[in-house]
Amino acid sequence: MRTFISGNEALAHGIRLARPHVISAYPITPQTTVVEHLSSMCSAGKLTAEFVHVESEHSALSCAIGASATGARTFTATSSQGLLYMAECLHYAAGGRFPVVMMNANRSTALPWNIYGDQRDSMGLLDQGWIQLYVENAQEALDMSLVAYRVAEDSRVLTPFMINMDGFVLTHTYEVVDIPDQELADRFLPSYVTDNRFDFDSPKSMAFSVGPEQNFRFKFREHQAMNRAKKVIAEAEKSFAEVFGRQYTGLVENYRCDDAEYVIVTIGSVSGLVRSVVDELRRDGVAAGLLKIRYMRPFPDAEIAEILRGVKAVGVLEKDISFGYEGTVFTNVNSALQVAGLSVRTSNFIGGLGGADISREQIRDIFQSLESDGRRLNFLGINREEYDD
Amino acid sequence: MSGKNDEKVRTIPFVRQGKKLTVGEIPEITAYEAGFLTVTNASWRTETPVCDRNRCNGCLNCYLYCPEGCVYRDGNTGKIDIDYDFCKGCGICAKLCRKGAITMEKHGK
């Protein structure tokens, strides 16, 4: 059914189609309407799930983990400070190998207080052991809700999954979205079956302590499982295309990079604007391209290096800054290039912090600066004379 | 009260048996029998839970609340048994047993 809905509502429909057993959440802008919609679906009988209103985000994820430990399919959603409040529990879910699916509405972090979108909340938590996906539109948010469970619950992966959506720009804007039938969703997504649960027939210890030497091995296994997710994501997207007729592009998207000289690397909603500028520049004869990173973990290092091989200059545009160094996406991209032995000129463009607008003109300026030998680290809209160095 | 009980359910390698595990022997998940990978903590105990099997109805409420996961089901009777290598003697099981089947016996009496 094609309908005109917000990004949050689209995601809620995706979760409804995944038939979670337990949903636990605490409201926070701009995530709130996701759980409002799910709550309404539960009360209207359109979704048979236990909806638990908890007293904090720490409890929201703890509840999802506890429910997952009974073998239930679980969902929670949060944003910004809420995600940070969950930080302790993020490790519990990942280390315990509980395949919780969470939507995070990307929002700036305090202080100064601000409710608008940047990606510093989730980028600061890359090391927590969660798969991190960044979507670009409402349809993708819905579709990836189903893909998320399929990947997270796969016995080769068993790793929690964070679906990131840019706050307001994606969560609160309306688009035409195709809501698939339940029958198709059921064909794509099998039931969750696991031994990782309280079992009354064969009671086991859950979430136990492990001393130093064996603990190290558990962490090694966790790392292996996250890497295996790359293959499982590809399989899931192939199957998704067969069932629903929509094909996604895997860990990254290569938009007109094959013969590109200048490429901007993006994450999330700003990709649409960059894609449009790439088309304009191509009409003007500039060999511009866009490389969109969809998954920050597991990190697509080989895919990124392959696409950027032979490119003259790369600009990494991101809504994140690791104070005292550079943007974290930039660090990761440079690492991928270095591992592949590529010496491509790269520079970093920090934009959109606290929800600041990123304009078409600024994207054109980035491409222009790639053609000259510009600064390594740039903040969009900050004049050159304002830098200390 | 001391030592191991009911060795027959212990078919997997345990740290308490001095076995060094390979990466492949590490489970993917964190649901396993108590003490699979931890050192014993029985020495923490100043009281020991003892189950009266005539009263126990095997409801496993104690299992759900045991922080060490050291309650298991006796395959023959369906009633509970306790892995004393990993019981730290906290007494939660005795407190919440609805049948009053578990009593805490003080040490050194």
Side-chain angles (χ1 to χ4, degrees), chain A residues 5-237:
Chain A
I5 52 177
S6 72
N8 274 353
E9 193 172 356
L11 183 119
H13 278 288
I15 298 303
R16 172 181 59 78
L17 290 168
R19 300 184 192 264
H21 302 101
V22 176
I23 298 168
S24 53
Y26 188 80
I28 180 170
T29 302
Q31 156 264 37
T32 308
T33 52
V34 171
V35 287
E36 279 178 358
H37 280 296
L38 286 168
S39 177
S40 300
M41 289 169 184
C42 286
S43 58
K46 291 174 181 164
L47 169 60
T48 310
E50 191 74 34
F51 194 102
V52 188
H53 297 275
V54 291
E55 72 278 24
S56 75
E57 287 86 358
H58 191 282
S59 302
L61 185 51
S62 299
C63 177
I65 291 168
S68 183
T70 68
R73 177 171 287 164
T74 58
F75 176 75
T76 186
T78 190
S79 178
S80 180
Q81 306 300 129
L83 180 67
L84 301 176
Y85 191 22
M86 283 180 178
E88 181 196 8
C89 312
L90 291 171
H91 285 280
Y92 264 89
R97 308 294 294 277
F98 297 116
V100 177
V101 170
M102 165 157 67
M103 173 269 196
N104 178 52
N106 282 122
R107 172 186 136 176
S108 64
T109 50
L111 281 170
W113 189 256
N114 178 302
I115 60 168
Y116 298 102
D118 68 35
Q119 292 164 345
R120 298 199 62 248
D121 53 358
S122 54
M123 287 297 168
L125 298 172
L126 281 179
D127 295 349
Q128 306 268 18
W130 283 59
I131 294 170
Q132 278 202 14
L133 165 71
Y134 293 77
V135 299
E136 191 188 330
N137 57 51
Q139 184 71 60
E140 190 182 4
L142 185 155
D143 293 348
M144 290 306 119
S145 303
L146 295 166
V147 170
Y149 283 107
R150 170 114 168 211
V151 172
E153 294 172 356
D154 189 289
S155 61
R156 295 164 289 177
V157 178
L158 290 175
T159 298
F161 197 117
M162 191 188 298
I163 303 170
N164 289 284
M165 281 175 84
D166 282 315
F168 292 106
V169 176
L170 292 181
T171 59
H172 284 61
T173 51
Y174 281 66
E175 293 176 53
V176 175
V177 171
D178 178 59
I179 304 177
D181 291 340
Q182 185 68 57
E183 189 256 327
L184 287 184
D186 291 347
R187 202 186 309 162
F188 172 73
L189 183 63
S191 310
Y192 176 43
V193 180
T194 182
D195 289 332
N196 196 13
R197 64 185 179 89
F198 284 100
D199 182 349
F200 286 94
D201 294 327
S202 167
K204 287 175 289 192
S205 178
M206 294 295 299
F208 40 61
S209 331
V210 175
E213 199 176 336
Q214 307 301 350
N215 205 301
F216 184 88
R217 289 174 169 77
F218 265 90
K219 294 298 140 188
F220 175 69
R221 291 293 287 266
E222 211 177 316
H223 176 64
Q224 284 185 311
M226 177 71 95
N227 279 336
R228 281 198 294 270
K230 291 184 180 182
K231 185 166 171 260
V232 177
I233 288 164
E235 289 172 11
E237 287 192 358

Side-chain angles (χ1 to χ4, degrees), chain B residues 2-12 14 16-17 33 53 70 72-85:
Chain B
S2 70
K4 300 171 184 63
N5 52 353
D6 206 359
E7 284 293 345
K8 68 182 182 297
V9 299
R10 310 276 173 244
T11 54
I12 47 174
F14 282 91
R16 68 175 154 198
Q17 291 163 350
E33 289 178 47
R53 287 182 162 220
C70 62
Y72 62 97
R73 192 193 283 280
D74 179 326
N76 295 323
T77 65
K79 302 191 176 194
I80 67 120
D81 216 333
I82 295 166
D83 186 333
Y84 291 114
D85 271 1

Side-chain angles (χ1 to χ4, degrees), chain A residues 178-323:
Chain A
D178 178 59
I179 304 177
D181 291 340
Q182 185 68 57
E183 189 256 327
L184 287 184
D186 291 347
R187 202 186 309 162
F188 172 73
L189 183 63
S191 310
Y192 176 43
V193 180
T194 182
D195 289 332
N196 196 13
R197 64 185 179 89
F198 284 100
D199 182 349
F200 286 94
D201 294 327
S202 167
K204 287 175 289 192
S205 178
M206 294 295 299
F208 40 61
S209 331
V210 175
E213 199 176 336
Q214 307 301 350
N215 205 301
F216 184 88
R217 289 174 169 77
F218 265 90
K219 294 298 140 188
F220 175 69
R221 291 293 287 266
E222 211 177 316
H223 176 64
Q224 284 185 311
M226 177 71 95
N227 279 336
R228 281 198 294 270
K230 291 184 180 182
K231 185 166 171 260
V232 177
I233 288 164
E235 289 172 11
E237 287 192 358
K238 185 167 179 284
S239 164
F240 189 90
E242 285 162 9
V243 175
F244 298 96
R246 280 188 292 277
Q247 179 72 59
Y248 286 89
T249 60
L251 302 173
V252 295
E253 180 194 338
N254 170 350
Y255 186 73
R256 305 186 85 160
C257 287
D258 288 347
D259 62 342
E261 295 182 333
Y262 306 104
V263 170
I264 292 184
V265 178
T266 59
I267 289 209
S269 62
V270 77
S271 308
L273 177 62
V274 176
R275 199 179 284 112
S276 157
V277 173
V278 164
D279 289 343
E280 280 178 8
L281 291 173
R282 285 278 175 171
R283 283 196 289 275
D284 298 344
V286 179
L290 159 71
L291 167 54
K292 180 177 80 169
I293 297 175
R294 295 182 69 229
Y295 284 85
M296 270 305 284
R297 289 292 180 274
F299 191 65
D301 56 338
E303 291 79 359
I304 287 171
E306 197 45 48
I307 291 169
L308 296 181
R309 187 179 294 276
V311 168
K312 280 185 182 165
V314 175
V316 176
L317 171 62
E318 60 186 300
K319 299 175 179 178
D320 172 54
I321 174 72
S322 180
F323 299 116

Side-chain angles (χ1 to χ4, degrees), chain B residues 27-48:
Chain B
E28 281 290 337
I29 57 177
T30 54
Y32 243 88
E33 289 178 47
F36 175 42
L37 297 161
T38 44
V39 292
T40 61
N41 51 11
S43 63
W44 298 5
R45 216 161 54 230
T46 58
E47 293 181 324
T48 293

Side-chain angles (χ1 to χ4, degrees), chain B residues 18-33:
Chain B
K19 171 120 169 43
K20 203 167 168 66
L21 300 173
T22 65
V23 170
E25 286 172 321
I26 301 287
E28 281 290 337
I29 57 177
T30 54
Y32 243 88
E33 289 178 47

